[in-house]
Amino acid sequence: MVVTGRDLDAALDAVLGPGAQLAPAVAALSAAYRSGGRPGEVLASETAARAYAAFRMPATFAAVRAALRAAPDLRPATLVDVGGGTGAAVWAAAAELQSLREAQVLDGSAAALELGRTLATGASDPVLAGTTWTRARWPTDLPAADLVTMAYFVGELAADEQVAVVAAAAGRAAAVAVVEPGTPAGFRDLLRARDTLLRAGLRLVAPCPHDLTCPWAAGADWCHFAARLPRSARHRQVKGGTLGWEDEKFSYVVAVRGGADRAPGRILRHPYRRKGLVELTVCAAPPGIQRVLVSKRRRADYKAARDADWGDPWPPP
């Protein structure tokens, strides 16, 4: 069975109940994060874990799934999700990676792990139902896996801890995917992970079209993307929103050991379309941010540019 965002929403609805009951806990959780609390401390209670799942799991699922989709050659059988909390990244991997057969979530919060187990146990997908949930704060002694994911985790650690955990993942996995908030601070943490993966000998496959210095590593701009997700009634209630959708902004990197294909370029912003012309902002190899103008006279390219979106490879495969 192919897992979808609706399956996750159904599991959350079944376990968590109405969003209105969780809204006060979500507000308290947000305040705790803004004051600098770490996940293992903030998610110490069952109530906090339930609030986190209601508030963040759908968006994390959407961001991780988009990151994995951008690296189409990934075919892992085993997955270790480090700092995985209630397991959103495992749900995303089960949705996107049909090769997946076994998953393990490591996290410092016993309450988050228990809730994640409850959510996944009722899933019809055998990978989710059979996922192993292990308590570990920020482990560097990781089990070997085809793929290690870290979603919205490394930014919660001190810089030296970030390097240690990402290096440990690079030493034990054939591929590593790191996803962080699409903010300047999140991008800085993402760059630190990117550099660590490269020092460990891995090769970048998404979103970067090269293994050299990021052209936005020094400057005011930052590399990030967006995943649009529908909001369930519960999700709207806990967020106090009225729109039926939201855009989750995220930065990410996927790296592999050994050879793998990667796009020659990546669209970094929404394409600007006007009559007879599409303007694209593209990161390409050799490194550099380029403005690509595609006119209607180039019929095939123009059609592709009209259909292209932020985050897509360019030129398209």
Side-chain angles (χ1 to χ4, degrees), residues 8-23:
L8 175 58
D9 280 334
L12 289 168
D13 286 340
V15 173
L16 300 180
Q21 297 177 4
L22 290 166

mmCIF file with all atom_site columns, all heavy atoms in Angstrom, residues 8-23:
data_model
loop_
_atom_site.group_PDB
_atom_site.id
_atom_site.type_symbol
_atom_site.label_atom_id
_atom_site.label_alt_id
_atom_site.label_comp_id
_atom_site.label_asym_id
_atom_site.label_entity_id
_atom_site.label_seq_id
_atom_site.pdbx_PDB_ins_code
_atom_site.Cartn_x
_atom_site.Cartn_y
_atom_site.Cartn_z
_atom_site.occupancy
_atom_site.B_iso_or_equiv
_atom_site.pdbx_formal_charge
_atom_site.auth_seq_id
_atom_site.auth_comp_id
_atom_site.auth_asym_id
_atom_site.auth_atom_id
_atom_site.pdbx_PDB_model_num
ATOM 1   N N   . LEU A 1 8  ? -1.650  9.736  7.160  1.00 0.00 ? 8  LEU A N   1
ATOM 2   C CA  . LEU A 1 8  ? -1.109  10.338 8.384  1.00 0.00 ? 8  LEU A CA  1
ATOM 3   C C   . LEU A 1 8  ? -2.169  11.157 9.094  1.00 0.00 ? 8  LEU A C   1
ATOM 4   O O   . LEU A 1 8  ? -2.320  11.065 10.320 1.00 0.00 ? 8  LEU A O   1
ATOM 5   C CB  . LEU A 1 8  ? 0.102   11.212 8.043  1.00 0.00 ? 8  LEU A CB  1
ATOM 6   C CG  . LEU A 1 8  ? 0.704   12.001 9.213  1.00 0.00 ? 8  LEU A CG  1
ATOM 7   C CD1 . LEU A 1 8  ? 1.136   11.074 10.347 1.00 0.00 ? 8  LEU A CD1 1
ATOM 8   C CD2 . LEU A 1 8  ? 1.879   12.846 8.732  1.00 0.00 ? 8  LEU A CD2 1
ATOM 9   N N   . ASP A 1 9  ? -2.918  11.946 8.357  1.00 0.00 ? 9  ASP A N   1
ATOM 10  C CA  . ASP A 1 9  ? -3.984  12.739 8.976  1.00 0.00 ? 9  ASP A CA  1
ATOM 11  C C   . ASP A 1 9  ? -5.009  11.841 9.663  1.00 0.00 ? 9  ASP A C   1
ATOM 12  O O   . ASP A 1 9  ? -5.488  12.151 10.767 1.00 0.00 ? 9  ASP A O   1
ATOM 13  C CB  . ASP A 1 9  ? -4.688  13.608 7.924  1.00 0.00 ? 9  ASP A CB  1
ATOM 14  C CG  . ASP A 1 9  ? -3.900  14.861 7.595  1.00 0.00 ? 9  ASP A CG  1
ATOM 15  O OD1 . ASP A 1 9  ? -3.122  15.323 8.450  1.00 0.00 ? 9  ASP A OD1 1
ATOM 16  O OD2 . ASP A 1 9  ? -4.055  15.381 6.474  1.00 0.00 ? 9  ASP A OD2 1
ATOM 17  N N   . ALA A 1 10 ? -5.345  10.730 9.026  1.00 0.00 ? 10 ALA A N   1
ATOM 18  C CA  . ALA A 1 10 ? -6.323  9.811  9.620  1.00 0.00 ? 10 ALA A CA  1
ATOM 19  C C   . ALA A 1 10 ? -5.789  9.214  10.916 1.00 0.00 ? 10 ALA A C   1
ATOM 20  O O   . ALA A 1 10 ? -6.518  9.071  11.906 1.00 0.00 ? 10 ALA A O   1
ATOM 21  C CB  . ALA A 1 10 ? -6.675  8.701  8.632  1.00 0.00 ? 10 ALA A CB  1
ATOM 22  N N   . ALA A 1 11 ? -4.497  8.872  10.923 1.00 0.00 ? 11 ALA A N   1
ATOM 23  C CA  . ALA A 1 11 ? -3.896  8.324  12.143 1.00 0.00 ? 11 ALA A CA  1
ATOM 24  C C   . ALA A 1 11 ? -3.875  9.364  13.250 1.00 0.00 ? 11 ALA A C   1
ATOM 25  O O   . ALA A 1 11 ? -4.169  9.064  14.412 1.00 0.00 ? 11 ALA A O   1
ATOM 26  C CB  . ALA A 1 11 ? -2.480  7.838  11.847 1.00 0.00 ? 11 ALA A CB  1
ATOM 27  N N   . LEU A 1 12 ? -3.536  10.613 12.892 1.00 0.00 ? 12 LEU A N   1
ATOM 28  C CA  . LEU A 1 12 ? -3.521  11.681 13.891 1.00 0.00 ? 12 LEU A CA  1
ATOM 29  C C   . LEU A 1 12 ? -4.922  11.936 14.434 1.00 0.00 ? 12 LEU A C   1
ATOM 30  O O   . LEU A 1 12 ? -5.112  12.110 15.648 1.00 0.00 ? 12 LEU A O   1
ATOM 31  C CB  . LEU A 1 12 ? -2.953  12.960 13.274 1.00 0.00 ? 12 LEU A CB  1
ATOM 32  C CG  . LEU A 1 12 ? -1.445  12.939 12.976 1.00 0.00 ? 12 LEU A CG  1
ATOM 33  C CD1 . LEU A 1 12 ? -1.061  14.121 12.101 1.00 0.00 ? 12 LEU A CD1 1
ATOM 34  C CD2 . LEU A 1 12 ? -0.642  12.951 14.262 1.00 0.00 ? 12 LEU A CD2 1
ATOM 35  N N   . ASP A 1 13 ? -5.909  11.957 13.553 1.00 0.00 ? 13 ASP A N   1
ATOM 36  C CA  . ASP A 1 13 ? -7.290  12.169 14.009 1.00 0.00 ? 13 ASP A CA  1
ATOM 37  C C   . ASP A 1 13 ? -7.737  11.060 14.958 1.00 0.00 ? 13 ASP A C   1
ATOM 38  O O   . ASP A 1 13 ? -8.383  11.314 15.980 1.00 0.00 ? 13 ASP A O   1
ATOM 39  C CB  . ASP A 1 13 ? -8.243  12.235 12.811 1.00 0.00 ? 13 ASP A CB  1
ATOM 40  C CG  . ASP A 1 13 ? -8.126  13.538 12.042 1.00 0.00 ? 13 ASP A CG  1
ATOM 41  O OD1 . ASP A 1 13 ? -7.616  14.519 12.610 1.00 0.00 ? 13 ASP A OD1 1
ATOM 42  O OD2 . ASP A 1 13 ? -8.540  13.572 10.870 1.00 0.00 ? 13 ASP A OD2 1
ATOM 43  N N   . ALA A 1 14 ? -7.384  9.817  14.618 1.00 0.00 ? 14 ALA A N   1
ATOM 44  C CA  . ALA A 1 14 ? -7.820  8.681  15.424 1.00 0.00 ? 14 ALA A CA  1
ATOM 45  C C   . ALA A 1 14 ? -7.184  8.682  16.811 1.00 0.00 ? 14 ALA A C   1
ATOM 46  O O   . ALA A 1 14 ? -7.830  8.323  17.799 1.00 0.00 ? 14 ALA A O   1
ATOM 47  C CB  . ALA A 1 14 ? -7.492  7.374  14.698 1.00 0.00 ? 14 ALA A CB  1
ATOM 48  N N   . VAL A 1 15 ? -5.921  9.107  16.881 1.00 0.00 ? 15 VAL A N   1
ATOM 49  C CA  . VAL A 1 15 ? -5.195  9.040  18.150 1.00 0.00 ? 15 VAL A CA  1
ATOM 50  C C   . VAL A 1 15 ? -5.339  10.320 18.963 1.00 0.00 ? 15 VAL A C   1
ATOM 51  O O   . VAL A 1 15 ? -5.483  10.280 20.191 1.00 0.00 ? 15 VAL A O   1
ATOM 52  C CB  . VAL A 1 15 ? -3.710  8.727  17.894 1.00 0.00 ? 15 VAL A CB  1
ATOM 53  C CG1 . VAL A 1 15 ? -2.895  8.824  19.189 1.00 0.00 ? 15 VAL A CG1 1
ATOM 54  C CG2 . VAL A 1 15 ? -3.548  7.345  17.271 1.00 0.00 ? 15 VAL A CG2 1
ATOM 55  N N   . LEU A 1 16 ? -5.322  11.477 18.294 1.00 0.00 ? 16 LEU A N   1
ATOM 56  C CA  . LEU A 1 16 ? -5.275  12.745 19.008 1.00 0.00 ? 16 LEU A CA  1
ATOM 57  C C   . LEU A 1 16 ? -6.642  13.330 19.305 1.00 0.00 ? 16 LEU A C   1
ATOM 58  O O   . LEU A 1 16 ? -6.808  14.090 20.264 1.00 0.00 ? 16 LEU A O   1
ATOM 59  C CB  . LEU A 1 16 ? -4.469  13.772 18.203 1.00 0.00 ? 16 LEU A CB  1
ATOM 60  C CG  . LEU A 1 16 ? -3.019  13.404 17.911 1.00 0.00 ? 16 LEU A CG  1
ATOM 61  C CD1 . LEU A 1 16 ? -2.357  14.516 17.116 1.00 0.00 ? 16 LEU A CD1 1
ATOM 62  C CD2 . LEU A 1 16 ? -2.243  13.122 19.191 1.00 0.00 ? 16 LEU A CD2 1
ATOM 63  N N   . GLY A 1 17 ? -7.637  13.045 18.461 1.00 0.00 ? 17 GLY A N   1
ATOM 64  C CA  . GLY A 1 17 ? -8.949  13.636 18.660 1.00 0.00 ? 17 GLY A CA  1
ATOM 65  C C   . GLY A 1 17 ? -9.017  15.049 18.123 1.00 0.00 ? 17 GLY A C   1
ATOM 66  O O   . GLY A 1 17 ? -8.145  15.499 17.370 1.00 0.00 ? 17 GLY A O   1
ATOM 67  N N   . PRO A 1 18 ? -10.041 15.820 18.498 1.00 0.00 ? 18 PRO A N   1
ATOM 68  C CA  . PRO A 1 18 ? -10.248 17.173 17.960 1.00 0.00 ? 18 PRO A CA  1
ATOM 69  C C   . PRO A 1 18 ? -9.082  18.116 18.271 1.00 0.00 ? 18 PRO A C   1
ATOM 70  O O   . PRO A 1 18 ? -8.509  18.077 19.360 1.00 0.00 ? 18 PRO A O   1
ATOM 71  C CB  . PRO A 1 18 ? -11.524 17.645 18.655 1.00 0.00 ? 18 PRO A CB  1
ATOM 72  C CG  . PRO A 1 18 ? -12.212 16.394 19.101 1.00 0.00 ? 18 PRO A CG  1
ATOM 73  C CD  . PRO A 1 18 ? -11.118 15.419 19.420 1.00 0.00 ? 18 PRO A CD  1
ATOM 74  N N   . GLY A 1 19 ? -8.789  18.963 17.290 1.00 0.00 ? 19 GLY A N   1
ATOM 75  C CA  . GLY A 1 19 ? -7.696  19.901 17.472 1.00 0.00 ? 19 GLY A CA  1
ATOM 76  C C   . GLY A 1 19 ? -7.966  20.959 18.521 1.00 0.00 ? 19 GLY A C   1
ATOM 77  O O   . GLY A 1 19 ? -7.032  21.469 19.149 1.00 0.00 ? 19 GLY A O   1
ATOM 78  N N   . ALA A 1 20 ? -9.221  21.317 18.726 1.00 0.00 ? 20 ALA A N   1
ATOM 79  C CA  . ALA A 1 20 ? -9.544  22.375 19.685 1.00 0.00 ? 20 ALA A CA  1
ATOM 80  C C   . ALA A 1 20 ? -9.057  22.008 21.081 1.00 0.00 ? 20 ALA A C   1
ATOM 81  O O   . ALA A 1 20 ? -8.645  22.880 21.853 1.00 0.00 ? 20 ALA A O   1
ATOM 82  C CB  . ALA A 1 20 ? -11.051 22.629 19.698 1.00 0.00 ? 20 ALA A CB  1
ATOM 83  N N   . GLN A 1 21 ? -9.085  20.727 21.421 1.00 0.00 ? 21 GLN A N   1
ATOM 84  C CA  . GLN A 1 21 ? -8.636  20.297 22.737 1.00 0.00 ? 21 GLN A CA  1
ATOM 85  C C   . GLN A 1 21 ? -7.128  20.429 22.899 1.00 0.00 ? 21 GLN A C   1
ATOM 86  O O   . GLN A 1 21 ? -6.613  20.536 24.022 1.00 0.00 ? 21 GLN A O   1
ATOM 87  C CB  . GLN A 1 21 ? -9.056  18.847 22.977 1.00 0.00 ? 21 GLN A CB  1
ATOM 88  C CG  . GLN A 1 21 ? -10.566 18.630 23.003 1.00 0.00 ? 21 GLN A CG  1
ATOM 89  C CD  . GLN A 1 21 ? -10.932 17.169 23.172 1.00 0.00 ? 21 GLN A CD  1
ATOM 90  O OE1 . GLN A 1 21 ? -10.065 16.321 23.350 1.00 0.00 ? 21 GLN A OE1 1
ATOM 91  N NE2 . GLN A 1 21 ? -12.226 16.873 23.098 1.00 0.00 ? 21 GLN A NE2 1
ATOM 92  N N   . LEU A 1 22 ? -6.393  20.418 21.777 1.00 0.00 ? 22 LEU A N   1
ATOM 93  C CA  . LEU A 1 22 ? -4.935  20.475 21.832 1.00 0.00 ? 22 LEU A CA  1
ATOM 94  C C   . LEU A 1 22 ? -4.385  21.888 21.680 1.00 0.00 ? 22 LEU A C   1
ATOM 95  O O   . LEU A 1 22 ? -3.192  22.112 21.898 1.00 0.00 ? 22 LEU A O   1
ATOM 96  C CB  . LEU A 1 22 ? -4.350  19.590 20.722 1.00 0.00 ? 22 LEU A CB  1
ATOM 97  C CG  . LEU A 1 22 ? -4.522  18.086 20.909 1.00 0.00 ? 22 LEU A CG  1
ATOM 98  C CD1 . LEU A 1 22 ? -4.210  17.364 19.616 1.00 0.00 ? 22 LEU A CD1 1
ATOM 99  C CD2 . LEU A 1 22 ? -3.622  17.587 22.025 1.00 0.00 ? 22 LEU A CD2 1
ATOM 100 N N   . ALA A 1 23 ? -5.226  22.836 21.297 1.00 0.00 ? 23 ALA A N   1
ATOM 101 C CA  . ALA A 1 23 ? -4.744  24.192 21.014 1.00 0.00 ? 23 ALA A CA  1
ATOM 102 C C   . ALA A 1 23 ? -3.973  24.806 22.179 1.00 0.00 ? 23 ALA A C   1
ATOM 103 O O   . ALA A 1 23 ? -2.900  25.402 21.972 1.00 0.00 ? 23 ALA A O   1
ATOM 104 C CB  . ALA A 1 23 ? -5.906  25.086 20.589 1.00 0.00 ? 23 ALA A CB  1
#
